Amino acid sequence: MKAAKQTLMHQMHISMQDVERRKQLLGLTNQELDELAAIGGLVAPRLDSMVEDFYDNQTSIPEISTLIGDLDTLKRLQRAQHQYLLDLFSGNYDSDYVNNRLRIGMVHKRIGVEPKLYLSAVQTLKTMLMKLLKHLLPDADHYEAIAVTLEKLFMFDTTLVVETYVWSLVNEIKSSKEKIEQYAHALEYRAQEMEELSQRDPLTGLLNVRHFSSILNSVLYAAQRALEPVTVVFIDINDFKTINDQQGHPFGDKVLQVVAEAIKKVARIDDHCFRYGGDEFCLVLPHCTEIQVQESVVPRLLECLLEEGLNITLSIGVQQTDHINGYLDAMTLVNGADAQMYSCKKRIKESADQTK
């Protein structure tokens, strides 16, 4: 349930059983409260004058005068104080009484009244009230009994108000903590985005070569532990310089993007696809064999390019490493795939020369 639809007692988890227990701890009996209520009619006519004197005293304190601020606020406070004093002698100390006390604490906290100022104001009010009662109650024993009861009731009220201060501060801390956590999550997400962007080639969206070595070494380490093969594939766009020279760099960029998209389509979720540099691409394929690449990956890649209608050819080199033949280190594996790619390029060039 929303806080706005709950009383402060509910929000602070204060039950009427808890209220009665607080009274017991203070030794505040129903008989005492009844005796206090019995003199309410005697006290009520004198409260306006006492409230005025009280605020004359309070507004002489610069910090309090600044907090009050204007005449309208002062009048509202005077009315609220008058009602507060009436409630002390009302004889009704139920949930409404407790909620009103909690609300007093909440209001004072919201307007910035420090606990030390509130407690000093309570002491001043109590002193004034005791002085008034001493004048109204000539019987010393009666006055003493009422004074003791009021002392307990003021303590009861003050604990509620102070508890509200503490509860409000705890909520502020929780709220601040939640905001900090949300900000931290946002920063973390942004950092991850930036890290992801730093790993990506801006033109093709593939991984850039900056993290190639670390990723390949991680894949090889995982493969050795699982006794699985790893295959590296090098891809080069044939005659890319001629494409750029004859059709312009924008068209060359489009060719790179089309090849990159084709690579993304054939890549599995665990594969790592790089723009290795210029018109070269490199694929690191965990738990994948050279035969799988030649029979599945390469045909599907070429098919994707044909669907785009680009008249280009690729030189592709493939190198596998596994536990059967002994794992190659990262550099040897890369050099092997690179050499295979250049052998393929050489064969394509020789074939083209023979055709001329």
Side-chain angles (χ1 to χ4, degrees):
M1 185 182 294
K2 295 180 180 178
K5 294 184 178 181
Q6 292 180 316
T7 65
L8 283 172
M9 279 184 67
H10 284 128
Q11 291 182 46
M12 295 173 65
H13 307 292
I14 299 175
S15 65
M16 284 308 299
Q17 290 85 352
D18 182 45
V19 170
E20 292 303 318
R21 180 57 179 159
R22 291 171 187 238
K23 291 178 184 178
Q24 289 175 6
L25 291 172
L26 292 170
L28 192 58
T29 66
N30 289 331
Q31 182 181 345
E32 289 176 318
L33 293 172
D34 289 341
E35 291 174 356
L36 191 62
I39 65 168
L42 188 64
V43 175
R46 278 86 173 175
L47 292 182
D48 281 337
S49 176
M50 199 188 87
V51 168
E52 189 171 340
D53 291 343
F54 172 77
Y55 276 102
D56 283 343
N57 173 279
Q58 292 297 288
T59 53
S60 68
I61 301 171
E63 299 108 300
I64 296 177
S65 181
T66 300
L67 287 171
I68 292 174
D70 59 75
L71 182 60
D72 289 336
T73 302
L74 176 61
K75 289 186 179 298
R76 285 198 300 272
L77 290 171
Q78 286 174 329
R79 288 193 295 270
Q81 189 69 283
H82 186 276
Q83 186 59 51
Y84 172 78
L85 291 167
L86 285 176
D87 288 345
L88 285 174
F89 300 92
S90 66
N92 295 317
Y93 308 99
D94 53 10
S95 60
D96 287 339
Y97 181 92
V98 173
N99 272 309
N100 285 335
R101 286 343 181 231
L102 296 174
R103 197 175 300 112
I104 288 171
M106 183 63 71
V107 169
H108 280 76
K109 174 65 178 64
R110 284 174 179 168
I111 66 176
V113 178
E114 297 179 35
K116 64 181 181 182
L117 295 176
Y118 174 78
L119 294 174
S120 67
V122 169
Q123 183 60 35
T124 300
L125 181 65
K126 184 168 62 175
T127 300
M128 288 182 172
L129 186 55
M130 294 300 186
K131 184 178 179 180
L132 174 62
L133 290 173
K134 195 163 190 177
H135 173 71
L136 294 175
L137 304 173
D139 185 293
D141 291 339
H142 189 197
Y143 164 75
E144 188 62 32
I146 293 296
V148 169
T149 302
L150 268 177
E151 188 71 42
K152 294 176 185 178
L153 191 54
F154 269 111
M155 180 59 69
F156 176 80
D157 291 354
T158 301
T159 58
L160 290 172
V161 170
V162 171
E163 192 167 334
T164 309
Y165 267 86
V166 174
W167 176 78
S168 181
L169 286 170
V170 169
N171 279 348
E172 287 178 8
I173 292 170
K174 287 181 179 178
S175 177
S176 297
K177 182 182 177 183
E178 289 173 0
K179 289 178 181 178
I180 290 171
E181 288 177 348
Q182 290 173 0
Y183 183 65
H185 287 321
L187 284 179
E188 183 179 0
Y189 178 74
R190 183 58 179 161
Q192 290 173 349
E193 278 190 326
M194 295 301 293
E195 176 66 16
E196 177 71 14
L197 287 173
S198 74
Q199 295 181 7
R200 297 284 169 182
D201 170 58
L203 178 64
T204 63
L206 298 178
L207 293 167
N208 59 41
V209 75
R210 183 184 307 172
H211 301 280
F212 176 76
S213 294
S214 62
I215 290 175
L216 177 56
N217 281 313
S218 295
V219 170
L220 286 172
Y221 177 72
Q224 289 176 46
R225 292 183 63 184
L227 299 179
E228 292 181 340
V230 175
T231 300
V232 169
V233 181
F234 257 93
I235 300 172
D236 181 87
I237 301 173
N238 295 320
D239 300 318
F240 186 71
K241 184 177 184 304
T242 302
I243 293 172
N244 270 335
D245 291 343
Q246 293 182 355
Q247 302 189 59
H249 286 279
F251 183 79
D253 288 346
K254 180 184 178 183
V255 169
L256 291 171
Q257 290 171 330
V258 169
V259 173
E261 288 303 313
I263 289 172
K264 292 175 189 176
K265 287 180 181 179
V266 303
R268 303 163 304 173
I269 191 168
D270 294 333
D271 296 339
H272 305 276
C273 305
F274 298 83
R275 181 184 179 189
Y276 198 71
D279 61 330
E280 289 185 348
F281 302 87
C282 184
L283 282 59
V284 177
L285 311 178
H287 46 83
C288 181
T289 66
E290 183 174 337
I291 293 175
Q292 289 173 321
V293 171
Q294 298 290 6
E295 293 183 352
S296 177
V297 177
V298 171
R300 287 191 293 120
L301 176 64
L302 297 177
E303 184 180 346
C304 287
L305 292 177
L306 282 174
E307 290 174 357
E308 294 296 329
L310 287 179
N311 185 24
I312 61 172
T313 60
L314 303 176
S315 293
I316 300 174
V318 184
Q319 181 69 54
Q320 174 185 329
T321 186
D322 54 46
H323 65 287
I324 298 174
N325 300 307
Y327 284 101
L328 303 174
D329 62 73
M331 184 59 68
T332 303
L333 183 61
V334 168
N335 288 339
D338 192 40
Q340 292 290 336
M341 184 267 289
Y342 275 104
S343 294
C344 178
K345 183 177 285 291
K346 184 178 179 181
R347 290 195 300 272
I348 291 173
K349 185 172 178 16
E350 290 174 348
S351 176
D353 290 341
Q354 291 175 1
T355 302
K356 290 180 180 179

